[in-house]
Amino acid sequence: MKKIILFSILAIIIFSSIGCNGNKTVLNDKADKNGNNDTKISFESKQETKEKIDTYISAECTWAYDVTNPETILENTDYLVKVQVKTKEKTKYFVKNTIMPNSTYNVKVLDIISPENATLPQNIKIAVSGGVVSMEEYVNTLDLETKEKTKTDKLSKKDLQKLVMISSESYYELEQGNEYYICIRDLTQDENYKGYYGMPEGGYDVFQEKDGLYVNVLTQNTLIR
């Protein structure tokens, strides 16, 4: 049976501009930088993964635009590409004190759908919000005050080695060997994500071809081109 470690308080995540990535935590009676206070951590999982997970931490996201609209997604991306997933790599924390980790993948670019005449390397690395880390890695993202209030500073060595799935409703796990159409942003020159391309809307950026149409893997909405 999976053990759910319940902390004594909830926290709000302030998300970064590239997607559902928490930069830091504040107490849940304070608003974020946009005046919103409805983005909280809950302890339920809406995602599935093949990895053996001990604890789930699920974050609710707020978005600057309608991520369920494929056309809006395309408008806010750099490239729409067809890729094949080669390997899934270790989940990483790219930004210091960020709660939300990133799953990383090596993919082969099979085709560039948009923009026309664009060029990309044949093999690229992609960072996607959400993934599995050790409880110790997660606790290390928290400031001292939050550790004390959530009592995570009292966890045993055994508990710190357990695996935690940290994700949001946009999380989608790419399958090795599968082909997808994905919307990506070029983060290769970004100070934190240097060398990586990003999928800031997670599964809302992922499409599969069905009967000649691009169908989103989360919403089943069709990208009209």
Side-chain angles (χ1 to χ4, degrees):
M1 181 179 293
K2 298 182 181 68
K3 180 180 179 183
I4 305 298
I5 299 177
L6 297 179
F7 299 153
S8 60
I9 63 171
L10 297 178
I12 293 175
I13 297 177
I14 299 178
F15 296 109
S16 73
S17 60
I18 70 156
C20 196
N21 267 345
N23 290 332
K24 62 180 180 179
T25 60
V26 295
L27 299 185
N28 64 352
D29 60 351
K30 295 181 180 179
D32 65 17
K33 62 182 180 181
N34 296 317
N36 301 316
N37 61 359
D38 57 352
T39 305
K40 300 179 181 179
I41 291 177
S42 62
F43 293 87
E44 298 178 5
S45 174
K46 299 178 182 177
Q47 297 80 32
E48 296 293 333
T49 181
K50 293 181 179 180
E51 298 183 70
K52 184 178 179 181
I53 309 303
D54 300 293
T55 303
Y56 291 88
I57 298 178
S58 180
E60 296 178 1
C61 297
T62 55
W63 304 94
Y65 43 81
D66 184 4
V67 293
T68 67
N69 185 326
E71 279 69 44
T72 302
I73 290 292
L74 187 58
E75 290 172 1
N76 287 277
T77 196
D78 291 328
Y79 303 97
L80 172 61
V81 294
K82 181 180 181 181
V83 302
Q84 182 179 49
V85 180
K86 296 171 63 178
T87 56
K88 181 178 181 182
E89 304 299 314
K90 179 177 172 57
T91 305
K92 298 176 63 176
Y93 280 102
F94 286 90
V95 183
K96 186 177 180 180
N97 298 327
T98 300
I99 292 175
M100 185 74 77
N102 282 257
S103 296
T104 60
Y105 298 88
N106 289 321
V107 305
K108 181 179 181 180
V109 177
L110 302 177
D111 193 13
I112 302 174
I113 311 302
S114 178
E116 295 183 1
N117 302 319
T119 59
L120 283 172
Q122 185 178 42
N123 297 293
I124 62 174
K125 297 180 180 181
I126 295 177
V128 189
S129 293
V132 179
V133 295
S134 69
M135 178 59 77
E136 183 174 18
E137 288 177 291
Y138 165 66
V139 171
N140 286 341
T141 69
L142 306 177
D143 58 39
L144 180 60
E145 181 183 11
T146 303
K147 289 179 184 178
E148 291 175 348
K149 291 188 176 181
T150 57
K151 301 189 185 304
T152 49
D153 58 335
K154 304 298 183 184
L155 292 177
S156 66
K157 290 183 178 180
K158 182 178 180 180
D159 280 335
L160 289 173
Q161 297 309 306
K162 292 183 176 181
L163 296 181
V164 185
M165 163 62 85
I166 305 176
S167 58
S168 71
E169 99 284 344
S170 67
Y171 180 75
Y172 185 80
E173 194 164 300
L174 302 177
E175 294 284 342
Q176 184 172 336
N178 282 5
E179 295 181 2
Y180 302 94
Y181 292 84
I182 59 174
C183 293
I184 57 174
R185 290 186 195 169
D186 188 348
L187 305 177
T188 56
Q189 303 305 311
D190 184 275
E191 179 181 354
N192 297 306
Y193 293 85
K194 193 168 185 178
Y196 280 81
Y197 291 80
M199 288 167 42
E201 293 84 19
Y204 297 117
D205 287 322
V206 183
F207 299 82
Q208 290 186 309
E209 188 173 5
K210 296 180 181 179
D211 300 323
L213 302 174
Y214 300 154
V215 180
N216 183 260
V217 296
L218 294 183
T219 66
Q220 302 303 303
N221 291 339
T222 301
L223 177 62
I224 300 174
R225 290 192 50 73

